[in-house]
Amino acid sequence: MGNSHFIDFSSVRRTRAHGLLKDQSGWSHHEMLRAATLSLQGPYDLSLSLDIAGRFSPEPAKDVSIFRSAVRIDGAPVLMEVRQVRRHPLLLEVSSPTSGVIGPLKTLAEWMLFADLDLRPFYRLTARHPKLAAVARRLRGLKPKRPASLFEMAAIAITEQQISLAAAYRIRSRLTERFGDCIGGLWAFPLAERLARAPLEELRAGGLSRRKSEYISGLAKRIAEGSLDFAVLKQMPDDEARSFIMKQRGFGRWSADYILVRGLGRLDCVPVDDLGVQTTVGKYLGDGGRMAPEEVQEALEPLVPYRGLATFYLLAYCRL
DNA sequence: TACCAGGTAAAAA
DNA sequence: TTTTTACATGGT
């Protein structure tokens, strides 16, 4: 007992000394804290956002009061937990059982939950729209959630090509549980380095087609060897990012737009080739039937510069 | 049991 | 150049 007390104390001191090198305030930084506060730009409803996210997968969210995710910090799996600070609509608390990662973990949580998105201008736009006004009112505080990495997002796009979201989800789960890492009962998506050295046959074993296995394997290999870096997409304008993605084998127009809006959070981008988008936009903004890509474009014109976000709201509304 | 499900590259015409 | 075709799994 006395021993463990002593050990704890020395570890705290060492940590504090390290922290002081970086910041005069000492205690309040990365090495020491296991929790950090994340401030939001405008309205946000974490529970609603988690609930809606769950409705896009075959496994509905169990506990929408807390966001738990297995992510990676410098490649190492870490459990991320985010909850709304008690009675405070504009603050989230991000924490982890793992020490020494709270700084980068906070940055990642901000990315995944879209902390810097201010929904108010979007709501001002939708308020004047005949259909979106009611949808936005019903879903007030909803923000899309982004995957932890663009590599994972790319894999999501590939798996969801052509087959149902449910089938794609099962295939991804098998991929993750075979090549990823488990922490806190959750699975972190595999590193590109891991998938790069997996034989095609092993990728296919999870249910991927031969073609899709090649897409993912090729992508993983290019990322692992350093010849491709998706991080550059974050600095590119929408058009440039779209053509960059489409240069990669396995990524057509649908995948590029899907990654833009869902992976990068480009709020005006819409995958107009998407079956779900065509049926949902047709249902709410058309005569009820499925729309052609050009019709989707036209129907969403009044929602510039939030066509992608508006589409997300319609898809979410459809699943309530 | 079929058939469709939030596409894409490659072959055939 | 434009039009077919193969592909894989899960839900209905």
Side-chain angles (χ1 to χ4, degrees):
Chain A
M1 291 248 291
N3 256 350
S4 68
H5 225 137
F6 178 76
I7 289 165
D8 282 346
F9 180 64
S10 74
S11 114
V12 164
R13 284 192 56 188
R14 191 166 58 246
T15 302
R16 186 186 184 196
H18 192 184
L20 282 169
L21 293 176
K22 294 189 168 184
D23 190 300
Q24 295 297 330
S25 65
W27 289 102
S28 61
H29 276 14
H30 316 345
E31 285 78 11
M32 189 54 222
L33 296 183
R34 293 190 180 188
T37 302
L38 197 158
S39 60
L40 302 166
Q41 274 300 320
Y44 182 54
D45 188 331
L46 177 68
S47 300
L48 174 64
S49 300
L50 295 178
D51 177 26
I52 293 297
R55 290 170 191 260
F56 285 88
S57 90
E59 291 175 9
K62 289 189 291 264
D63 178 4
V64 295
S65 67
I66 178 168
F67 172 52
R68 299 179 75 241
S69 182
V71 299
R72 295 177 185 279
I73 300 298
D74 294 329
V78 169
L79 183 65
M80 172 195 287
E81 294 184 335
V82 183
R83 63 199 85 210
Q84 203 126 28
V85 170
R86 193 162 42 96
R87 300 186 144 281
H88 203 309
L90 293 180
L91 290 180
L92 297 180
E93 183 193 73
V94 52
S95 62
S96 175
T98 309
S99 61
V101 295
I102 200 64
L105 197 65
K106 179 186 169 189
T107 303
L108 184 56
E110 286 169 340
W111 171 262
M112 294 179 77
L113 298 179
F114 229 138
D116 67 342
L117 167 62
D118 186 347
L119 291 167
R120 286 169 294 186
F122 173 62
Y123 291 151
R124 283 196 289 276
L125 176 67
T126 55
R128 299 184 261 106
H129 191 279
K131 291 293 195 301
L132 262 300
V135 172
R137 211 178 309 123
R138 170 66 183 82
L139 296 173
R140 187 171 175 78
L142 170 66
K143 288 184 185 182
K145 207 151 60 63
R146 289 181 286 205
S149 74
L150 290 172
F151 175 59
E152 179 174 357
M153 181 60 227
I156 290 172
I158 289 169
T159 52
E160 291 183 1
Q161 288 168 7
Q162 172 60 20
I163 60 176
S164 68
L165 294 182
Y169 183 91
R170 303 293 182 200
I171 292 170
R172 269 204 313 280
S173 297
R174 290 195 284 267
L175 201 64
T176 301
E177 291 176 19
R178 182 164 186 135
F179 301 106
D181 299 275
C182 185
I183 184 162
L186 300 176
W187 288 88
F189 192 76
L191 285 172
E193 289 77 5
R194 181 67 193 89
L195 293 184
R197 64 170 191 268
L200 284 184
E201 293 312 310
E202 283 193 38
L203 296 179
R204 290 185 62 194
L208 284 170
S209 65
R210 180 190 313 275
R211 197 60 86 58
K212 288 182 180 178
S213 301
E214 291 168 8
Y215 298 161
I216 289 184
S217 178
L219 189 70
K221 282 174 175 161
R222 294 194 296 276
I223 290 174
E225 75 188 16
S227 64
L228 173 66
D229 179 11
F230 268 159
V232 300
L233 291 172
K234 295 189 183 183
Q235 315 302 325
M236 290 180 183
D238 295 346
D239 300 353
E240 204 177 315
R242 179 183 291 104
S243 51
F244 183 96
I245 296 167
M246 289 179 65
K247 283 189 192 118
Q248 310 302 318
R249 182 166 183 266
F251 297 83
R253 192 171 77 159
W254 174 84
S255 298
D257 289 330
Y258 194 49
I259 291 170
L260 279 171
V261 67
R262 192 149 122 61
L264 288 160
R266 301 297 173 92
L267 302 175
D268 201 33
C269 294
V270 182
V272 293
D273 298 314
D274 185 294
L275 207 51
V277 169
Q278 291 167 2
T279 56
T280 305
V281 173
K283 176 176 177 180
Y284 294 106
L285 305 184
D287 58 14
R290 177 177 157 192
M291 279 180 171
E294 316 80 59
E295 297 175 310
V296 173
Q297 284 288 9
E298 192 184 341
L300 293 174
E301 196 60 38
L303 294 158
V304 172
Y306 291 106
R307 286 174 292 191
L309 186 59
T311 303
F312 171 66
Y313 266 64
L314 288 176
L315 290 167
Y317 190 74
C318 192
R319 281 169 173 71
L320 284 175

